[in-house]
Amino acid sequence: MFYREAGDFKTSYQEDSQTFPIAFDRWRYYAVLAVAFLVVPFVINDYWANAILLPFLIYAIAAIGLNILTGYCGQVSLGTGGFMAVGAYACFKLMTAFPDVNIFFHVILSGFITAGVGVIFGLPSLRIKGFYLAVATLAAQFFLVWLFNRVSWFYNYSASGQITAPEREVFGIAVTGPATEAWATYLFCLVITVVLAIVARNLTRGAQGREWMAIRDMDIAAEIIGVNPLKAKLTAFAVSSFYVGISGALFFAVYLGAVEVGEVFGIQKSFIVLFMIIIGGLGSIFGAFAGAAFLVILPVVLKLVGVDLLGWPTDIVAHFNLVIVGLLIIVFLVAEPHGLAQLWRVAKEKLRLWPFPH
């Protein structure tokens, strides 16, 4: 088999501790990036962009952020939808207040603004945890949605209460507004997603990631050995909210173009992202991508099979989608708590040993 470590020698500590120690994994990673950047933009159309690729990339960023907080640091959060709304409304205010600034900087600044809000709502984690922390973040979800609905300054006193993204360009190519091309919005989101994924991977494998995992595994023991719980928990909330805020900004400005906070960033959005990391795998960057891909592709596949092929009613297919997701969450929580990421790791281990049984 080609999936082997034999002959793949390491001559330094950096080579031995790299993300992809097996050569085939590295080349597979480079091949996926090459296809994503050099092939997909030339074959993409509006349907594939709006139905699969853009939601996948944006949800993957949100899932990475929530996985940093819940999977790596062990802090349960049900306020993801509210923090995505913070990123969306921050991006809207920046785009309208500073029209000459590049949209890329607006998206990044929206992440930093959301990080500040996340730190504020993360303060209760210093005294409470588990179910009580989940309720506190759920309260943040409802409060933020209420705030954006009630304070008209956030939507520039619009009579409809809706925010709409004005047209903005990157290198002379529109990435927001009605005149966008599918390949342009895809590449814009892809670049941000790849950069954030690389940063998250390095964060979780470094000293900061080890502090988060120490707090997750046993916070009292972590404090005894020198980990600062205040710093670890608040940095987890800040980094997680930064990622979620960027995903909210992209979801509003690039993907939808216009949103109403109660409909788009309600409690169901928080549960969707939570389901992504449960199915994909807690404590895994790959799991965030796997969970996002699964929950984005599943409704499309069910529509093609159920509605287009078998002629089932649309509402029946939508309920069938919820049933499948619910069953999978139960199965993964009971049988494989580490989700699709663990199944992928097991499959790779078996390939490394094949044809030997162990």
Side-chain angles (χ1 to χ4, degrees), residues 24 181 212 263 266 328:
F24 177 77
E181 297 286 343
W212 290 338
E263 296 178 359
L328 285 175

Side-chain angles (χ1 to χ4, degrees), residues 101-352:
V101 178
N102 192 292
I103 179 63
F104 175 80
F105 297 106
H106 288 156
V107 171
I108 300 301
L109 284 174
S110 301
F112 282 110
I113 292 172
T114 312
V117 176
V119 169
I120 294 174
F121 285 104
L123 289 173
S125 67
L126 305 177
R127 288 290 180 263
I128 59 177
K129 58 183 177 180
F131 171 77
Y132 300 100
L133 180 59
V135 173
T137 55
L138 186 63
Q141 162 73 39
F142 290 119
F143 171 75
L144 290 171
V145 171
W146 172 86
L147 181 68
F148 293 130
N149 265 327
R150 293 295 181 181
V151 182
S152 56
W153 177 82
F154 288 110
Y155 48 85
N156 286 352
Y157 307 99
S158 170
S160 64
Q162 189 180 67
I163 58 174
T164 303
E167 183 173 328
R168 294 292 181 267
E169 298 179 348
V170 176
F171 300 118
I173 302 171
V175 294
T176 65
T180 56
E181 297 286 343
W183 66 269
T185 55
Y186 163 75
L187 279 179
F188 183 71
C189 292
L190 179 64
V191 170
I192 294 177
T193 302
V194 170
V195 172
L196 291 179
I198 294 173
V199 171
R201 178 62 177 170
N202 284 280
L203 268 177
T204 54
R205 295 178 74 239
Q208 186 62 68
R210 289 191 290 272
E211 288 187 4
W212 290 338
M213 288 182 279
I215 292 293
R216 174 196 65 190
D217 295 338
M218 188 171 291
D219 53 352
I220 297 177
E223 187 174 5
I224 291 174
I225 64 174
V227 176
N228 186 343
L230 171 66
K231 173 177 173 291
K233 292 182 179 180
L234 292 188
T235 52
F237 268 97
V239 174
S240 172
S241 301
F242 175 78
Y243 276 69
V244 173
I246 288 180
S247 71
L250 293 175
F251 200 81
F252 150 68
V254 179
Y255 179 49
L256 294 181
V259 301
E260 196 281 320
V261 64
E263 296 178 359
V264 178
F265 298 115
I267 185 63
Q268 71 277 3
K269 192 69 68 181
S270 299
F271 283 114
I272 287 174
V273 181
L274 180 62
F275 295 161
M276 286 178 181
I277 65 171
I278 291 175
I279 293 175
L282 293 170
S284 169
I285 302 300
F286 172 78
F289 281 96
F294 183 85
L295 286 187
V296 168
I297 294 175
L298 179 62
V300 178
V301 173
L302 288 177
K303 179 184 178 299
L304 292 175
V305 176
V307 178
D308 299 340
L309 186 61
L310 301 178
W312 293 352
T314 306
D315 56 342
I316 296 297
V317 174
H319 285 90
F320 195 49
N321 177 42
L322 296 176
V323 171
I324 292 176
V325 173
L327 287 175
L328 285 175
I329 290 173
I330 295 173
V331 169
F332 277 114
L333 288 177
V334 173
E336 187 49 81
H338 295 290
L340 295 173
Q342 179 63 19
L343 298 180
W344 177 243
R345 282 191 289 265
V346 171
K348 290 198 298 182
E349 288 296 325
K350 291 188 177 298
L351 282 175
R352 291 165 69 182

Side-chain angles (χ1 to χ4, degrees), residues 25-35:
D25 282 337
R26 292 195 298 273
W27 289 112
R28 174 174 51 82
Y29 171 74
Y30 297 141
V32 170
L33 286 182
V35 170

